[in-house]
């Protein structure tokens, strides 16, 4: 290979110098290609150093996992809450009596009223089914006098066993509905308290007492007597043995 013929016309001395540089570069390149590469010596690590490296990598991976979990939790929190009848019943089923305090006094007394109505209807249904299964027995005490309600107690143990069975089964199923109805009636109870306080010019505590007596005593007793006769008539049995 002679690169000089392709070069432009220059002096003989410059041509000789350029040729020498080209030859030196070619020889140096050939020497580097032929020379074997030296292996790189990595520093040896002690067991403690390896353990520290593993612990650091583990902590880093844990941080990544926790960060991803936190981001996923944020996405879940941002999701809209489920709505509909099933969601409302599920929410009502998780309620406890202590949770009614969050909705005020009206919700608490409304739940008491709904519970009394539920107990009256359940007791009336139990009375009718007990009389149907035991035509010769009365749920009242043996020495009871119909004209004197004070002599009705204590109720027979067999009848109470009937009632507990219905209460633990049907009563448990109706529990979510009792809470839902009580929350729905709470505004009505509040308006009633306000109206009685304004018209009678009495404190709020007095209006609450009046409403409680009317709903939980007068109305409850009347409903119990009516429901017992109604369920017994439906099952074609007398409320008490004749």
């Amino acid at each position: 290979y002679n690169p000089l013929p392709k070069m432009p016309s220059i002096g003989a001395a410059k041509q000789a110098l350029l040729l020498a540089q080209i030859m030196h570069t070619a020889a140096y390149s050939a020497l580097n290609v032929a020379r074997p590469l030296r292996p790189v010596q990595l520093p040896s690590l002690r067991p403690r150093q390896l353990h520290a490296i593993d612990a650091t990598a583990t902590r880093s991976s844990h941080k990544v996992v926790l960060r991803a979990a936190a981001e996923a939790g944020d996405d879940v929190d941002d999701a809209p809450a489920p709505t509909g009848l099933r969601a409302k019943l599920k929410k009502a089923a998780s309620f406890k009596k202590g949770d009614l305090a969050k909705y005020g006094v009206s919700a608490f007394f409304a739940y008491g009223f709904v519970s009394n109505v539920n107990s009256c209807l359940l007791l009336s249904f139990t009375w009718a089914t007990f009389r149907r299964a035991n035509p010769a027995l009365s749920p009242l005490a043996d020495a009871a006098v119909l004209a004197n309600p004070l002599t009705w107690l204590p109720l027979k143990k067999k009848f109470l066993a009937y009632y507990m069975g219905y209460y633990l089964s049907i009563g448990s199923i109706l529990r979510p509905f009792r809470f839902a109805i009580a929350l729905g009636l709470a505004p009505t109870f509040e308006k009633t308290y306000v109206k009685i306080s304004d018209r009678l010019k009495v404190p709020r505590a007095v209006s609450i007492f009046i409403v409680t007596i009317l709903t939980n005593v007068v109305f409850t007793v009347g409903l119990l007597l009516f429901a017992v006769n109604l369920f017994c008539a439906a099952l074609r049995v007398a409320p008490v043995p004749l």
Side-chain angles (χ1 to χ4, degrees):
Y1 174 73
N2 186 11
L4 294 179
K6 297 181 180 180
M7 294 182 180
S9 177
I10 57 176
K14 292 183 178 181
Q15 290 182 3
L17 180 59
L18 181 59
L19 180 61
Q21 291 178 353
I22 293 174
M23 296 295 293
H24 176 74
T25 302
Y28 183 77
S29 300
L31 180 61
N32 288 337
V33 172
R35 182 184 301 171
L37 297 176
R38 295 180 180 180
V40 178
Q41 298 293 333
L42 297 176
S44 59
L45 298 177
R46 297 179 181 179
R48 292 183 179 180
Q49 294 175 335
L50 292 174
H51 180 71
I53 292 174
D54 293 339
T56 303
T58 302
R59 286 194 298 269
S60 300
S61 62
H62 286 175
K63 290 180 179 179
V64 173
V65 173
L66 292 176
R67 188 180 300 111
E71 293 176 355
D74 293 339
D75 295 338
V76 173
D77 293 339
D78 295 338
T83 57
L85 179 60
R86 184 177 180 182
K88 292 180 180 178
L89 291 178
K90 185 177 181 180
K91 182 179 179 181
S94 63
F95 264 70
K96 298 179 181 179
K97 290 184 179 180
D99 297 334
L100 290 174
K102 301 177 183 178
Y103 297 90
V105 178
S106 302
F108 180 79
F109 283 100
Y111 180 77
F113 169 71
V114 174
S115 296
N116 284 345
V117 172
N118 175 78
S119 299
C120 286
L121 296 178
L122 194 60
L123 183 64
S124 303
F125 178 75
T126 306
W127 190 298
T129 55
F130 176 81
R131 288 284 298 121
R132 181 72 176 180
N134 304 275
L137 293 179
S138 171
L140 303 178
D142 293 333
V145 178
L146 294 179
N148 186 7
L150 297 178
T151 63
W152 293 358
L153 300 178
L155 300 176
K156 286 187 172 60
K157 294 182 179 180
K158 188 175 182 180
F159 170 75
L160 294 177
Y162 271 64
Y163 179 76
M164 288 302 298
Y166 286 132
Y167 182 82
L168 294 177
S169 57
I170 301 177
S172 300
I173 297 174
L174 295 179
R175 184 172 179 270
F177 297 95
R178 294 203 303 268
F179 278 110
I181 295 173
L183 293 180
L185 289 177
T188 303
F189 271 68
E190 181 63 28
K191 292 179 181 178
T192 305
Y193 297 152
V194 173
K195 288 182 179 180
I196 293 177
S197 297
D198 293 341
R199 292 183 179 181
L200 301 181
K201 306 298 180 182
V202 294
R204 177 181 172 85
V206 176
S207 64
I208 292 176
F209 176 77
I210 294 174
V211 173
T212 302
I213 294 298
L214 292 176
T215 56
N216 291 352
V217 178
V218 177
F219 179 80
T220 298
V221 173
L223 176 64
L224 179 61
L225 296 176
F226 173 77
V228 167
N229 286 275
L230 178 64
F231 282 113
C232 288
L235 294 181
R236 298 180 180 179
V237 61
V240 292
L242 300 176

